[in-house]
């Protein structure tokens, strides 16, 4: 799937990332049975971590995490089949439970570990949500623990190309690419896959299975007998695999904006489904802009708004704004509006200003930033490594071309962008695995909570329903009519009540599925 991670931020807002044949390509079975070397190796690593623990201290300046947040590292095997072989260190952040709540003290319930998704998302910032009002009660009862998964940030980082050359603009982004353009992108995908292979010894060990094993080592290092976990976006898939591998180690688990864990969907099919979902969400954005034509002047119908967007795209193809913003940067900026509706007002305002002769807002929102190029390159490298390693992918370009061409006829907004993002997996040299068939038997897990927005594009709603079917005893809370990616601690009080009730008291809705009305739409920016 297109890189997707959730960031819970100040004021409760969120900031950022047609099916045909099944994918082909050789894959090896993922060893996870009780006799597998990786299973025994995980037990070794867990015992070692429980003894060693984590030595926390002041966070390095590079993390931008002030006291009382503290940082440390936990060592995990690069290869769990060789637990005494090469070790890599994962960075960890923590702020202790405040113990303060309205009316008195809150009893500490342990550590709440967070993963923001991606693959490639960095969760080190998570302790900072203690200052957000929606998280106050949870921060009173739990140590808030973030971490950077293997490959991310300072955790044995991956890199597939020179960060100085990555993410530069302007670039093109044709909705219906020519054959010449396709050949160019195929060549780029092959070069990127080669770069990943040559720059990263041990690349094959960056997988969801190992992310789940790392999570169990982290649990032990924190001194937790059982894990309390909040996973968002791709983090839900780590959590689902963890629940499958280590059901007796789960205390409470929240899945926010769930990836479809069906092994037939991981990952090629899910990317096609995601592209179709982004088309629906793009339509939601255009309809909202049309309803606020008085504020933006971009048209009174979604079709007129699309026309305004296409005029901007055409002008940027001829003359990039500020020499940096071309159609590719425009597409990336407006893709964020498909993830989070709090981007809608500023994106519409930038489009409106550009058409009135002022390109500065669009340049400010869409131009590549040299300050973040290294982090973005690292995140993309981890994303590619994990998804390419996790599952079989088609190895014949003609399959990708056929499927994307068909889907782009009805879902042009993001289909080709998603295709180019994932195409290195067609030319991946590391061994592929077979995805885990995530399932838990009745009684194997304590109750778990799934949160979803019905019109989420990054993780389409059917994924939450599939996870609900596969995890016995899970409860699904749906924000109907909304599409923000990541809803925990956000703008919906109903969702937050369910989150608090579950994490603080272990309560899930009485029915297997419960509904919340949508949060209010964003307010347009006025002139």
């Amino acid at each position: 799937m297109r890189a997707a991670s959730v960031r819970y931020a100040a004021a409760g807002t969120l900031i950022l990332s047609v099916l045909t044949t099944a994918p082909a390509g050789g894959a090896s079975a993922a060893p996870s049975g009780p006799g597998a070397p990786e299973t025994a190796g995980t037990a070794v690593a867990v015992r070692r971590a429980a003894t060693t623990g984590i030595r926390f201290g002041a966070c390095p300046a590079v993390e931008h995490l002030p006291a009382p947040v503290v940082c440390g590292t936990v060592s995990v095997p690069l290869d769990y089949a060789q637990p005494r072989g090469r070790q890599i260190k994962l960075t960890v952040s923590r702020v202790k439970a405040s113990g303060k709540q309205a009316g008195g003290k809150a009893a500490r319930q342990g550590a709440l570990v967070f993963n923001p998704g991606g693959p490639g998302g960095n969760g080190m910032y998570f302790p900072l949500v203690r200052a957000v009002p929606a998280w106050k009660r949870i921060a009173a009862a739990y140590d808030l623990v973030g971490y950077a998964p293997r490959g991310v940030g300072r955790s044995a980082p991956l890199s597939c190309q020179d960060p100085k050359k990555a993410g530069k603009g302007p670039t093109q982004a044709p909705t219906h690419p020519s054959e010449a353009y396709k050949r160019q992108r195929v060549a780029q995908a092959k070069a990127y896959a080669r770069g990943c292979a040559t720059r990263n010894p041990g690349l094959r060990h960056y997988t969801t299975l190992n992310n789940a094993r790392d999570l169990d080592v982290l649990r032990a290092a924190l001194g937790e007998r059982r894990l309390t976990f909040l996973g968002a976006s791709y983090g839900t898939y780590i959590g689902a695999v963890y629940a499958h591998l280590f059901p007796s180690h789960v205390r409470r688990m929240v899945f926010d904006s769930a990836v479809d864990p069906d092994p037939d969907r991981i990952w090629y099919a899910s990317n096609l489904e995601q592209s179709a979902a982004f088309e629906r969400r793009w339509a939601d954005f255009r309809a909202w802009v049309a309803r606020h034509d008085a504020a933006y002047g971009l048209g009174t119908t979604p079709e007129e708004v699309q026309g305004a967007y296409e005029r901007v795209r055409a002008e940027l193809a001829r003359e990039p704004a500020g020499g940096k913003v071309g159609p590719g940067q425009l597409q990336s900026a407006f893709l964020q509006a498909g993830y989070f509706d709090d981007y809608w007002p500023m994106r519409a305002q930038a489009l409106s200003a550009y058409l009135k002769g002022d390109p500065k807002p669009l340049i400010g929102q869409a131009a590549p930033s040299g300050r973040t190029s290294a982090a973005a390159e690292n995140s993309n490298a981890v994303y590619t490594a994990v998804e390419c390693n996790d599952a079989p992918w088609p190895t014949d370009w003609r399959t990708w071309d056929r499927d994307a061409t068909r889907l782009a006829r009805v879902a042009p907004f993001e289909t080709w962008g998603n295709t180019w993002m994932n195409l290195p997996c067609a030319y991946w040299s590391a061994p592929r695995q077979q995805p885990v068939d995530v399932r838990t038997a009745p009684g194997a897990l304590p109750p778990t909570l799934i949160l979803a927005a019905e019109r989420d594009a990054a993780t389409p709603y059917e994924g939450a329903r599939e996870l609900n079917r596969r995890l016995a005893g899970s409860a699904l809370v749906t924000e109907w009519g909304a599409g923000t990616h990541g809803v925990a601690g956000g703008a919906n009080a109903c969702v937050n009540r369910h989150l608090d009730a579950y994490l603080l008291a272990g309560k899930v809705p009485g029915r297997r599925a419960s509904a919340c009305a949508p949060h209010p739409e964003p307010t347009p920016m006025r002139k």
Side-chain angles (χ1 to χ4, degrees):
M1 56 194 297
R2 183 81 167 202
S5 62
V6 167
R7 185 176 177 104
Y8 303 125
T13 61
L14 294 166
I15 60 177
L16 232 199
S17 131
V18 179
L19 293 178
T20 53
T21 57
S28 58
S32 60
E38 288 82 357
T39 303
T42 304
V44 170
V46 164
R47 288 194 297 269
R48 184 168 56 216
T51 300
T52 305
I54 300 174
R55 182 177 298 177
F56 284 105
C59 295
V62 69
E63 297 292 353
H64 304 289
L65 295 172
V69 181
V70 291
C71 293
T73 61
V74 59
S75 293
V76 299
L78 175 67
D79 179 359
Y80 277 93
Q82 300 181 36
R84 295 176 180 85
R86 180 187 168 192
Q87 304 294 301
I88 58 177
K89 291 184 177 181
L90 312 185
T91 60
V92 184
S93 60
R94 184 189 70 185
V95 66
K96 288 189 174 181
S98 71
K100 300 175 183 178
Q101 64 179 14
K105 293 184 177 180
R108 181 182 178 276
Q109 296 198 38
L112 172 61
V113 179
F114 171 68
N115 183 286
N122 191 332
M124 288 290 287
Y125 77 90
F126 182 61
L128 298 179
V129 304
R130 74 195 298 263
V132 178
W135 293 92
K136 287 284 190 181
R137 296 183 66 205
I138 293 170
Y142 285 96
D143 299 348
L144 302 181
V145 176
Y147 73 108
R150 60 171 59 205
V152 177
R154 296 183 298 118
S155 297
L158 295 183
S159 174
C160 292
Q161 62 182 144
D162 183 348
K164 295 178 182 179
K165 298 179 180 179
K168 286 191 173 182
T171 57
Q172 298 297 317
T175 304
H176 301 288
S178 67
E179 292 303 313
Y181 184 81
K182 291 176 184 178
R183 288 193 295 270
Q184 175 187 343
R185 295 307 299 256
V186 168
Q188 290 176 3
K190 290 178 178 179
Y192 189 84
R194 286 194 302 270
C196 292
T198 57
R199 294 167 68 99
N200 302 290
L203 182 65
R204 64 182 295 179
H205 301 296
Y206 290 77
T207 65
T208 297
L209 270 168
N210 281 341
N211 280 332
R213 294 169 181 136
D214 291 347
L215 190 56
D216 205 44
V217 176
L218 175 57
R219 171 197 61 78
L222 291 167
E224 298 292 316
R225 188 172 66 86
R226 292 189 297 162
L227 176 70
T228 303
F229 177 73
L230 167 59
S233 191
Y234 165 73
T236 67
Y237 187 52
I238 296 176
V241 172
Y242 183 95
H244 175 86
L245 295 178
F246 310 107
S248 65
H249 298 184
V250 174
R251 177 180 178 267
R252 290 176 191 158
M253 194 165 271
V254 180
F255 304 88
D256 182 6
S257 305
V259 167
D260 190 334
D262 183 343
D264 290 337
R265 311 253 80 75
I266 305 292
W267 289 105
Y268 182 75
S270 69
N271 276 288
L272 294 173
E273 292 164 349
Q274 187 189 58
S275 295
F278 269 115
E279 194 67 28
R280 294 191 293 272
R281 196 60 180 155
W282 174 239
D284 291 346
F285 168 70
R286 291 184 289 117
W288 177 87
V289 175
R291 288 196 295 275
H292 298 289
D293 183 59
Y296 300 116
L298 294 171
T300 59
T301 67
E303 293 75 20
E304 290 178 347
V305 175
Q306 180 71 39
Y309 181 81
E310 293 300 338
R311 288 196 300 276
V312 173
R313 176 201 284 267
E315 289 186 23
L316 293 176
R318 290 191 297 270
E319 184 178 353
K324 296 180 179 180
V325 177
Q329 290 64 50
L330 178 75
Q331 172 70 15
S332 294
F334 278 80
L335 179 64
Q336 291 176 323
Y339 283 92
F340 312 122
D341 61 13
D342 44 4
Y343 276 105
W344 290 5
M346 68 178 78
R347 293 295 187 264
Q349 184 63 35
L351 206 66
S352 176
Y354 181 89
L355 288 171
K356 294 173 182 176
D358 180 9
K360 290 180 181 178
L362 184 61
I363 294 170
Q365 295 179 37
S369 170
R371 295 180 312 231
T372 59
S373 60
E377 192 280 326
N378 167 241
S379 180
N380 284 342
V382 177
Y383 168 87
T384 305
V386 172
E387 295 218 351
C388 296
N389 285 335
D390 263 3
W393 290 79
T395 56
D396 187 339
W397 158 246
R398 291 173 295 183
T399 300
W400 296 72
D401 190 17
R402 179 195 62 211
D403 292 346
T405 298
R406 289 176 180 174
L407 183 57
R409 292 178 188 137
V410 295
F413 176 67
E414 176 55 11
T415 293
W416 281 108
N418 217 349
T419 299
W420 307 134
M421 179 79 184
N422 294 285
L423 188 57
C425 294
Y427 310 107
W428 202 245
S429 59
R432 327 296 184 97
Q433 296 181 338
Q434 288 292 348
V436 176
D437 188 10
V438 171
R439 295 182 188 277
T440 62
L445 277 180
T448 56
L449 181 67
I450 304 168
L451 306 176
E454 181 233 349
R455 296 188 69 79
D456 183 357
T459 50
Y461 182 60
E462 179 54 32
R465 297 179 63 189
E466 181 66 19
L467 183 62
N468 189 210
R469 288 188 287 264
R470 286 172 173 265
L471 294 185
S474 63
L476 171 60
V477 173
T478 303
E479 185 183 15
W480 288 102
T484 288
H485 183 57
V487 296
N492 193 301
C494 171
V495 172
N496 293 339
R497 284 193 296 271
H498 284 291
L499 178 68
D500 283 0
Y502 176 68
L503 286 178
L504 299 177
K507 296 180 180 179
V508 295
R511 302 179 301 278
R512 185 159 187 174
S514 186
C516 290
H519 66 273
E521 286 189 335
T523 302
M525 296 174 67
R526 298 294 179 183
K527 299 176 184 178

